[in-house]
Amino acid sequence: MKIIAIILVFGIIVFVHELGHFLFAKLNKIKVLEFAIGMGPAIVKWGKHETKYALRVLPIGGYCMMEGEDEESDDPRSFSNKSCLARLSVLFAGPFFNFVLAFILGVIICHFCYIDPADISGVVEGSGAAEAGLEAGDVIVKLDGKRIYNFRELQYHLIAGKEGAPVKVTFERDGERQTVTVVPKKDEESGRYIFGVYSNYRAAKNFGEELKYGLLEGRLQIKATLLSLKMLFTGGASMNDLMGPVGIGNYMSDVIDEAEKEGGFSSVVLNILNFCILISANLGVMNLLPIPALDGGRILFILVEMISGKKIPKEKEALVNMIGFVLLMILVVFVFFNDIRKVFF
């Protein structure tokens, strides 16, 4: 049952991404040759008209194959013969649909579960926050000058910064904004630096709050993805920390087991929805990176074309995308075996 749930999570997220490309291709009258979910050999194929549909055996991806996407074509309905704006809209639609999915699922979670505004419910005695004068009822607005909305952003901010470094906290109290400097203190038992405040998540007061914090939930996961990428390049994380479908599936399995013990079916569903938001936001962000073979790489080629006024020859673009694809496959293989090692050894 857990395996089915995990496969469904990946399948739905990939389906939504490719659906974005598909719908905007149709909207721009681009000829779609195949719409597939999964990779590898086809389990089932159907479609009698110009577009073929397929469900393939490996639930690790999918694609929307368009005429003239990777090769020259004389067909006026080919991807390469459409305007720059039309092509940009098709490429951006996939990640955008992932962000929309994260927002919708965020609203569902905010409706049935909780929201986490950056309100302080209590302050730990003797902590850096207490010494700086923070009190229960204060609302954190900024951390080191950066606007925050969710209480969890406090933890992300501490992870991204230097351990124990002072943090400038702007907060609201009785309608007035104040700024203080908090120096996190090291907890001897855990070895971690503690800020010293906590918050009690609460139910949304109305549908407006559900919409607001549903949107902020998606924003939070996008921010977490960007933070992870930053840490990968700055040394805060290593290649060994990368996790692929196997690792994510194993982690999901553990969380589902724990949720089933503590809260039953409803808790399992909410945890799965949380994973959907996280993975959907990740997929959206990763696909917008300017890496050849990804949507972001293709978008970069079109932006260069718009600036220079000249189309990049298809054979050169195809070569760069092929090199990018090979490098991505090498990374996928590395992550796959790294997941296997961490799960089974």
Side-chain angles (χ1 to χ4, degrees):
M1 192 68 181
K2 287 186 295 184
I3 294 175
I4 294 174
I6 292 166
I7 291 174
L8 280 175
V9 166
F10 283 108
I12 290 171
I13 291 169
V14 171
F15 170 77
V16 168
H17 180 92
E18 298 303 331
L19 181 65
H21 292 316
F22 177 80
L23 292 178
F24 272 73
K26 291 292 187 181
L27 185 65
N28 286 287
K29 296 181 170 54
I30 295 172
K31 187 176 181 180
V32 178
L33 302 176
E34 184 176 344
F35 180 82
I37 299 300
M39 305 293 282
I43 299 173
V44 60
K45 296 181 77 171
W46 68 96
K48 297 181 179 179
H49 302 292
E50 69 177 22
T51 304
K52 301 297 184 289
Y53 302 88
L55 183 63
R56 299 186 175 273
V57 68
L58 299 175
I60 57 172
Y63 56 85
C64 175
M65 185 186 297
M66 295 170 280
E67 175 74 26
E69 187 177 6
D70 295 307
E71 72 287 327
E72 294 291 349
S73 174
D74 295 327
D75 192 325
R77 293 179 58 212
S78 72
F79 179 82
S80 57
N81 287 328
K82 293 296 181 177
S83 69
C84 289
L85 288 178
R87 283 179 281 150
L88 282 176
S89 69
V90 173
L91 292 171
F92 184 72
F96 177 71
F97 268 48
N98 281 130
F99 297 146
V100 171
L101 175 62
F103 163 63
I104 293 172
L105 296 179
V107 172
I108 293 173
I109 287 178
C110 290
H111 176 76
F112 288 102
C113 197
Y114 59 79
I115 62 174
D116 74 324
D119 302 345
I120 297 176
S121 299
V123 180
V124 178
E125 187 176 348
S127 66
E131 291 180 357
L134 291 175
E135 299 176 359
D138 293 344
V139 180
I140 300 176
V141 177
K142 293 180 181 180
L143 296 173
D144 286 334
K146 296 179 181 178
R147 186 74 167 90
I148 73 161
Y149 299 90
N150 299 84
F151 189 81
R152 281 169 290 169
E153 290 184 75
L154 173 60
Q155 188 61 39
Y156 291 166
H157 186 85
L158 294 178
I159 292 172
K162 185 178 179 181
E163 285 192 329
V167 181
K168 285 187 177 181
V169 181
T170 300
F171 63 95
E172 287 186 354
R173 179 185 296 169
D174 299 326
E176 294 184 2
R177 288 196 179 186
Q178 304 178 43
T179 299
V180 296
T181 298
V182 176
V183 181
K185 290 188 175 183
K186 190 173 184 178
D187 180 67
E188 297 302 327
E189 290 186 13
S190 65
R192 297 188 309 167
Y193 283 88
I194 306 300
F195 194 83
V197 296
Y198 58 88
S199 175
N200 296 323
Y201 298 164
R202 63 173 176 82
K205 296 177 181 177
N206 49 52
F207 185 60
E209 273 202 336
E210 291 172 5
L211 288 176
K212 175 184 176 180
Y213 282 94
L215 182 62
L216 290 174
E217 186 66 30
R219 170 190 171 275
L220 181 66
Q221 297 305 337
I222 292 170
K223 184 175 182 178
T225 303
L226 293 173
L227 172 61
S228 299
L229 287 171
K230 178 184 176 182
M231 291 175 66
L232 193 62
F233 286 102
T234 58
S238 68
M239 292 289 287
N240 192 53
D241 295 317
L242 291 176
M243 189 181 293
V246 174
I248 294 171
N250 181 66
Y251 185 60
M252 280 185 65
S253 177
D254 292 342
V255 171
I256 288 172
D257 284 340
E258 193 65 29
E260 197 170 16
K261 290 177 185 176
E262 294 183 357
F265 179 75
S266 61
S267 181
V268 170
V269 171
L270 286 171
N271 274 279
I272 289 175
L273 290 181
N274 266 316
F275 267 108
C276 284
I277 295 173
L278 174 63
I279 299 170
S280 193
N282 266 266
L283 184 61
V285 171
M286 298 302 291
N287 266 277
L288 284 176
L289 296 178
I291 298 173
L294 296 181
D295 295 329
R298 295 177 185 274
I299 288 172
L300 181 60
F301 277 116
I302 296 175
L303 293 176
V304 170
E305 177 186 333
M306 293 175 71
I307 294 170
S308 66
K310 295 179 181 179
K311 268 192 174 185
I312 297 173
K314 270 293 176 185
E315 60 272 15
K316 291 184 179 180
E317 183 179 343
L319 177 62
V320 173
N321 283 330
M322 178 57 69
I323 294 172
F325 179 77
V326 171
L327 293 176
L328 281 174
M329 287 302 101
I330 292 173
L331 179 61
V332 167
V333 171
F334 168 79
V335 172
F336 174 77
F337 282 105
N338 193 44
D339 283 349
I340 295 294
R341 179 184 61 82
K342 288 189 287 187
V343 171
F344 297 104
F345 300 100

